[in-house]
């Protein structure tokens, strides 16, 4: 057994463990596809025969992130844990290098979400009371980004789970926000009252968010498929088990 | 009897618990993760169940790994975790082996 073989064994173990910690393979690809469909559904006046404003579709869209979380766990159990559970070692050095970046990203997302949701809740929702009945109370919406802060103590201490949690919550919120925003379609001029300059800026933000989700979705599909192929290659590289 | 050459002393000083290829593979895999289930360890090392059990028992007796028993539903699941002593032994073994291997360009 050469040092190269030993390195390869360690690398294989770490790769397999990664599928139980941060890589989701086909679930990531599915998440990307669901993200794209979610935005298209929310933008479309008629999606598969259901009017975009119908309560049924809105409720369906609310549940999509949770549905994805359930599917992700199912995919993980069915596809990526066939050889048993391997818990990844926390990589302290790597996480320490990354935690500032993670904290920065989380704070940025909180700021963007708060601004967008506040504009939406205080401007468009108040100006369109009948439609507001479909949406959770504005205060509840405004509290949503705070879930980003929950794993911060772990993140600072360098836990892998905290990073995964941030990504998961980030994906859920990225889906929920366009759903909240676009199930109440951006108004065309003349703008309703309460939809002033801040509203116009938010409108530009809407478009940016649509593009962001579409790009993220496409990248997630490519990345998920690539991860799945990596996993298949990992399985092929395992030795045959001895008899007896 | 002539005295042994220093290199030969170094070879004989290698930790024989770690030096055995199957046990070296087991420790290497365990060192790459926090805990590893029996099934994965069997698949990645290519060892039979009996062989793997025998080697893990020897490593456990040497204090290099811990066995973790749990249940998944009603199915018992065995996992292993490398100990600090095991990690130190593996590290020392790597260091000794590197010192013994010829440098590049040397015969």
């Amino acid at each position: 057994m050469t040092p190269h073989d030993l390195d390869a064994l360690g690398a294989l173990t770490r790769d397999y463990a990664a599928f139980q910690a941060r890589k989701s393979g086909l679930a990531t690809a599915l998440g990307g596809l669901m993200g794209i469909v979610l935005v298209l559904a929310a933008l479309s006046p008629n999606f598969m025969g259901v009017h975009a404003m119908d309560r049924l579709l809105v409720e369906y869209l609310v549940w999509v992130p949770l549905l994805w979380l359930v599917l992700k766990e199912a995919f993980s159990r069915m596809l990526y844990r066939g050889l048993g559970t391997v818990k990844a070692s926390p990589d302290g050095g790597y996480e320490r290098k990354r935690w500032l970046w993670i904290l920065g990203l989380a704070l940025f997302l909180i700021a963007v979400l708060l601004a967008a949701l506040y504009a939406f809740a205080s401007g468009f929702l108040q100006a369109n009371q009948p439609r507001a009945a479909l949406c959770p109370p504005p205060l509840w919406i405004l509290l949503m980004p705070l879930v980003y802060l929950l794993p911060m103590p772990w993140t600072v201490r360098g836990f892998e789970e905290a990073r995964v949690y941030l990504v998961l919550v980030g994906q859920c919120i990225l889906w929920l926000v366009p759903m909240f925003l676009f199930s109440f379609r951006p108004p065309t001029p003349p703008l309703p009252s309460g939809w002033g300059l801040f509203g116009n800026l938010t409108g530009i933000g809407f478009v940016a968010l649509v593009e962001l989700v579409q790009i993220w979705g496409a990248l997630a599909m490519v990345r998920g498929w690539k991860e799945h192929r990596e996993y298949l290659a990992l399985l092929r590289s395992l030795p045959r088990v001895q008899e007896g | 009897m002539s005295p042994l050459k220093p290199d030969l002393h170094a070879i004989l000083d290698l930790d024989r618990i770690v030096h055995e290829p199957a046990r070296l593979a087991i420790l290497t895999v365990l060192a790459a993760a926090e805990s590893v289930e029996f099934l994965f360890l069997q698949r990645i090392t290519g060892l039979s169940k009996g062989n793997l059990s025998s080697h893990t028992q020897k490593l456990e007796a040497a204090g290099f790994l811990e066995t973790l028993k749990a249940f998944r539903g009603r199915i018992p699941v065995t996992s292993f975790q490398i100990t600090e002593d095991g990690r130190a032994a593996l590290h020392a073994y790597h260091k000794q082996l590197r010192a013994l291997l010829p440098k590049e360009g040397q015969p």
Side-chain angles (χ1 to χ4, degrees), chain B residues 17 23 26-27 54-65:
Chain B
I17 293 279
R23 290 196 285 270
I26 292 169
L27 283 179
S54 155
H55 286 302
T56 52
Q57 278 168 17
K58 281 178 188 162
L59 287 167
E60 191 170 24
F64 291 169
L65 66 79

Side-chain angles (χ1 to χ4, degrees), chain A:
Chain A
M1 192 170 282
T2 65
H4 178 73
D5 294 335
L6 294 175
D7 288 345
L9 266 183
L12 268 178
T13 307
R14 278 188 289 274
D15 286 347
Y16 181 78
F19 277 92
Q20 294 170 32
R22 60 180 185 275
K23 291 185 180 179
S24 303
L26 287 184
T28 302
L30 179 70
L33 181 66
M34 286 168 84
I36 291 172
V37 171
L38 187 72
V39 171
L40 290 180
L43 278 174
S44 165
N46 264 294
F47 182 70
M48 294 172 74
V50 181
H51 193 266
M53 294 298 180
D54 280 0
R55 192 178 186 103
L56 188 70
L57 182 61
V58 172
E59 284 179 355
Y60 164 75
L61 295 176
V62 169
W63 288 105
V64 163
L66 294 174
L67 174 70
W68 178 75
L69 283 177
V70 172
L71 287 175
K72 181 184 174 303
E73 184 60 22
F75 271 48
S76 176
R77 279 171 191 261
M78 285 189 301
L79 295 172
Y80 304 122
R81 284 187 206 169
L83 302 180
T85 306
V86 176
K87 200 171 174 197
S89 302
D91 188 345
Y94 175 77
E95 292 298 338
R96 268 193 295 279
K97 272 187 235 161
R98 301 267 294 185
W99 84 264
L100 261 179
W101 184 87
I102 292 168
L103 181 68
L105 180 69
L107 291 176
F108 171 75
L109 282 170
I110 289 172
V112 169
L113 290 173
L114 277 175
L117 291 173
Y118 178 75
F120 175 64
S122 67
F124 187 62
L125 265 191
Q126 280 178 10
N128 295 271
Q129 284 301 322
R131 290 173 181 179
L134 291 173
C135 198
L139 183 64
W140 188 87
I141 300 177
L142 291 177
L143 289 175
M144 271 176 50
L146 295 182
V147 287
Y148 263 104
L149 291 175
L150 293 178
M152 277 306 148
W154 308 337
T155 308
V156 173
R157 286 163 62 190
F159 285 133
E160 175 72 21
E161 285 84 352
R163 197 170 69 85
V164 175
Y165 176 88
L166 274 176
V167 172
L168 279 181
V169 173
Q171 285 180 351
C172 283
I173 288 183
L174 265 179
W175 289 359
L176 281 169
V177 168
M179 190 282 300
F180 281 133
L181 298 184
F182 292 113
S183 61
F184 305 91
R185 296 164 60 72
T188 49
L191 298 170
S193 61
W195 196 258
L197 176 65
F198 199 31
N200 280 332
L201 289 175
T202 311
I204 295 168
F206 288 168
V207 178
L209 199 56
V210 168
E211 295 306 321
L212 184 72
V213 173
Q214 304 282 38
I215 291 168
W216 169 82
L219 289 176
M221 286 169 73
V222 173
R223 190 180 136 204
W225 180 244
K226 200 176 149 197
E227 281 178 3
H228 183 67
R229 287 174 61 92
E230 279 173 18
Y231 184 77
L232 294 180
L234 186 154
L235 289 187
R236 281 194 297 271
S237 67
L238 294 178
R240 292 176 70 86
V241 175
Q242 292 170 6
E243 298 297 322

Side-chain angles (χ1 to χ4, degrees), chain A residues 1 3 6-7 9-10 12-14 16-17 82-90 234-235 238-244, chain B residues 21 24-25 28-29 31-37 39-40 42-51 72 79 94 97 101:
Chain A
M1 192 170 282
L6 294 175
D7 288 345
L9 266 183
L12 268 178
T13 307
R14 278 188 289 274
Y16 181 78
L83 302 180
T85 306
V86 176
K87 200 171 174 197
S89 302
L234 186 154
L235 289 187
L238 294 178
R240 292 176 70 86
V241 175
Q242 292 170 6
E243 298 297 322
Chain B
L24 180 58
T28 303
V29 170
E34 196 172 308
S35 66
V36 177
E37 203 173 302
L39 181 63
F40 181 76
Q42 190 192 359
R43 281 302 310 272
I44 198 167
T45 57
L47 295 168
S48 67
K49 278 185 185 175
N51 248 334
R72 191 174 294 140
S79 301
H94 278 290
L97 202 62
L101 289 173

